[in-house]
Amino acid sequence: MRTWAGRRSEWGDRIRGSALWRGAAALAAGALPALAFPAPSLWWFAYVALVPLLLLIRSAGTGRRAALDGWLGGTGYMLAVHHWLMPSLHVFIVVLAALLGLLWAPWGLLVSRLLGGPTSGAAVAAAVIVVPCGWLMIELARSWEALGGPWGLLGASQWQVTPALRLASVGGVWLVSLLVVAVNTAVAVLLVSPAARTAAVVALVAGTVAVGAVWMWAPQPERSGVARIAVVQPGVIEGPGSIQRRLARSEELTRSLAGRDVDLVVWGESSLAVDPVRRPDVAARIAALSRLVGADVLVNVDARQTDASGRTGIFKSAVLVGPQGLTGDRYDKMRLVPFGEYIPARSALGWATSMGRAAGEDRLRGARPVTMTLPGAHALHIGPLVCFESAFPDMSRRLTRDGAQLLIAQSSTSSFQNGWAPAQHASLGALRAAENGRPMVHATLTGVSAVYGPQGEPVGAPLGTDTSGAAVFGAPLATGTTLYVRLGDWPLYGALGVLAAFCAFEGVRSVRRPGLSVPAGAVAAGAASATPARPAPESRTESAQ
């Protein structure tokens, strides 16, 4: 009977020896971290999910193979975290994932360089610092709206972990991503290098102490009252006349809030399919609801409108309606979903509309963020966002700096009702709340709707995708600001600095010793002596162990 070690060695030899098997392994390994996100929500798995990919890249015999492993792993990651887009984009999602996966090719080279050689204490320290910085540059690059935006940032998988949320209040989701990748890197070293296990354990302990210090030291905003926010979720309404029936259901649910002493009623994204300016009868109906419940109603319009500058087209707009009608407060969505709300380079990629649910007509963009002030003694300042704008850390930070006391995201994920998207989208509210020290309301048409307090803690029970109803949440308000609001995206700048220093040291060593290669650990430690180039994989005694 073959032992487990023998079978493992056989599978390892097969993967290393076959380009097809190795490629499949890289795709599968790259997809593993998706299990840490909702709906599975195996948050703890994020801290080891990258280990198989790191070990696979480490075993690459050449830089070309390491870059290919990185690309395939990134492709697998993009496919896994965006698989729910398949009904909309069909096979085109594979093309997009493969293109975005190219961002991981340089990271594959970096991993091979830092983990593929002798693993001294200095090398472990360098790997635990530099590998996460390389990953963070990938997250930064793909956070560009035209590349799909920052959906599936690895740190976002920790949305329900209180210490991670405290970390986000210091350095945003970026700092959480750094921590997660650093832990994965240290665990990979523990598994393959007995000689460096002490250094890896020291790195893990140091990370734990750092998180504990942040827990104790990071300033937190002070509570300053409660805002009673009602969320109206009409649920899935399809078929003929669905637009009118959805409006009628939203009105019915809003009427049920009469006498419940609410400060604001929030409807989901695209809750109105007509411009209330052009349809005063619709505006009057919502104003009547406002008078009935004693609070303004924040609706969302997805219709042809004319903005303040005179542009006419389809806007996604958050519109505030009070007892007397339209208040004049309106926010037009600034960051649009590629293919869902506009086609990048439509002249070249317009054919995508024939393959799925890509936008038939481009939406127009808003010009600036807007904060709105509610009437009453509290004069509550709210900062609206629309749909996947809640995925962008800088947008909620800007609203907070502009004085928003309550962040609101209006969304609709009805096209992906039975997938992971609704839960994933709702989870982003916890991160934005913790980053900014402000409560956040995530209101949708069909679920998941949820509210989070200023430390990212859940407030009340969320409205799931099987719910048609209205709920009132007591959102705790807070004063003061977090370090993330004050300092911004400093982890990104720090990562850039670390990578620049690493590349500079590597370049200098290469020039001074053109025939030799210095291990990354020696570079990080500033070692004066050169070390011969690392042996080929088959001669590594460490790998055999």
Side-chain angles (χ1 to χ4, degrees):
M1 180 181 293
R2 290 181 300 170
T3 64
W4 162 246
R7 289 196 296 270
R8 184 180 63 179
S9 176
E10 178 183 334
W11 277 100
D13 292 342
R14 178 179 296 183
I15 291 174
R16 286 191 293 267
S18 167
L20 181 61
W21 275 100
R22 189 181 184 96
L27 281 168
L32 288 176
L35 297 175
F37 295 91
S41 289
L42 305 177
W43 63 266
W44 52 268
F45 187 57
Y47 294 95
V48 295
L50 283 177
V51 172
L53 182 60
L54 289 169
L55 297 181
L56 186 66
I57 295 174
R58 180 183 183 273
S59 70
T62 65
R64 180 180 178 182
R65 183 69 246 183
L68 182 59
D69 288 342
W71 170 51
L72 291 173
T75 300
Y77 184 81
M78 287 288 94
L79 281 172
V81 298
H82 292 95
H83 73 275
W84 43 269
L85 283 171
M86 191 69 72
S88 295
L89 298 180
H90 299 295
V91 71
F92 195 58
I93 187 61
V94 178
V95 177
L96 290 176
L99 290 174
L100 289 172
L102 291 171
L103 294 170
W104 273 264
W107 186 74
L109 290 170
L110 187 67
V111 170
S112 178
R113 176 70 186 90
L114 287 159
L115 295 181
T119 48
S120 63
V124 172
V128 170
I129 294 172
V130 180
V131 168
C133 290
W135 180 279
L136 207 60
M137 292 302 98
I138 299 171
E139 295 198 334
L140 173 62
R142 72 181 188 86
S143 292
W144 183 32
E145 175 195 343
L147 293 182
W151 191 281
L153 300 183
L154 195 55
S157 65
Q158 305 304 292
W159 66 278
Q160 55 187 329
V161 183
T162 304
L165 291 173
R166 186 67 62 89
L167 206 63
S169 75
V170 174
V173 66
W174 315 112
L175 191 56
V176 184
S177 287
L178 278 175
L179 172 69
V180 172
V181 182
V183 171
N184 275 275
T185 306
V187 171
V189 173
L190 278 173
L191 293 177
V192 300
S193 179
R197 284 176 180 169
T198 299
V201 170
V202 169
L204 290 171
V205 171
T208 303
V209 171
V211 172
V214 168
W215 175 274
M216 298 295 296
W217 163 75
Q220 292 294 308
E222 297 181 1
R223 300 298 174 92
S224 62
V226 174
R228 289 179 58 79
I229 309 300
V231 173
V232 170
Q233 180 177 295
V236 177
I237 299 175
E238 299 175 321
S242 59
I243 294 175
Q244 293 77 15
R245 289 188 290 116
R246 183 174 63 213
L247 176 58
R249 178 59 176 161
S250 297
E251 290 177 304
E252 177 187 358
L253 292 171
T254 304
R255 291 190 197 98
S256 71
L257 298 169
R260 300 188 63 181
D261 189 27
V262 299
D263 297 304
L264 177 68
V265 179
V266 184
W267 291 10
E269 180 189 10
S270 304
S271 47
L272 291 184
V274 296
D275 179 6
V277 173
R278 298 183 179 185
R279 290 288 304 275
D281 58 318
V282 173
R285 288 164 61 179
I286 299 173
L289 294 172
S290 174
R291 291 191 296 271
L292 178 65
V293 300
D296 284 7
V297 182
L298 185 69
V299 300
N300 191 275
V301 180
D302 184 3
R304 195 169 301 278
Q305 308 171 62
T306 301
D307 70 356
S309 65
R311 293 182 301 161
T312 298
I314 300 178
F315 289 91
K316 287 281 190 77
S317 305
V319 177
L320 193 63
V321 183
Q324 307 306 318
L326 297 173
T327 65
D329 289 317
R330 164 179 158 176
Y331 165 66
D332 298 324
K333 185 178 183 181
M334 298 171 62
R335 295 184 182 171
L336 305 176
V337 180
F339 296 97
E341 294 171 341
Y342 78 103
I343 303 293
R346 182 176 285 272
S347 59
L349 299 177
W351 53 267
T353 58
S354 64
M355 299 186 62
R357 301 172 185 170
E361 178 181 350
D362 292 349
R363 268 59 173 172
L364 299 185
R365 302 173 186 273
R368 60 185 179 84
V370 173
T371 56
M372 304 175 182
T373 304
L374 301 181
H378 299 295
L380 184 66
H381 301 292
I382 64 173
L385 298 166
V386 181
C387 192
F388 94 139
E389 288 183 331
S390 66
F392 292 86
D394 65 299
M395 296 197 72
S396 53
R397 177 174 177 262
R398 168 68 185 274
L399 289 170
T400 303
R401 291 175 66 88
D402 287 346
Q405 299 167 280
L406 175 69
L407 302 171
I408 298 176
Q410 296 172 296
S411 177
S412 172
T413 51
S414 55
S415 297
F416 317 105
Q417 193 72 359
N418 297 317
W420 294 1
Q424 284 186 24
H425 199 180
S427 71
L428 296 176
L431 284 162
R432 302 294 86 86
E435 287 170 344
N436 296 281
R438 296 292 183 267
M440 183 154 192
V441 176
H442 182 81
T444 73
L445 290 180
T446 59
V448 175
S449 296
V451 177
Y452 302 95
Q455 292 182 323
E457 73 278 16
V459 175
L463 300 176
T465 54
D466 58 348
T467 300
S468 173
V472 178
F473 299 86
L477 302 177
T479 60
T481 54
T482 63
L483 286 177
Y484 176 69
V485 171
R486 297 178 202 171
L487 304 177
D489 299 325
W490 63 266
L492 294 175
Y493 306 132
L496 280 169
V498 167
L499 290 173
F502 175 77
C503 292
F505 273 116
E506 287 283 275
V508 169
R509 304 293 185 197
S510 177
V511 169
R512 289 182 176 178
R513 300 286 190 272
L516 300 174
S517 173
V518 182
V523 172
S529 60
T531 302
R534 67 173 184 261
E538 57 269 20
S539 64
R540 291 182 195 154
T541 57
E542 225 173 40
S543 296
Q545 296 174 353

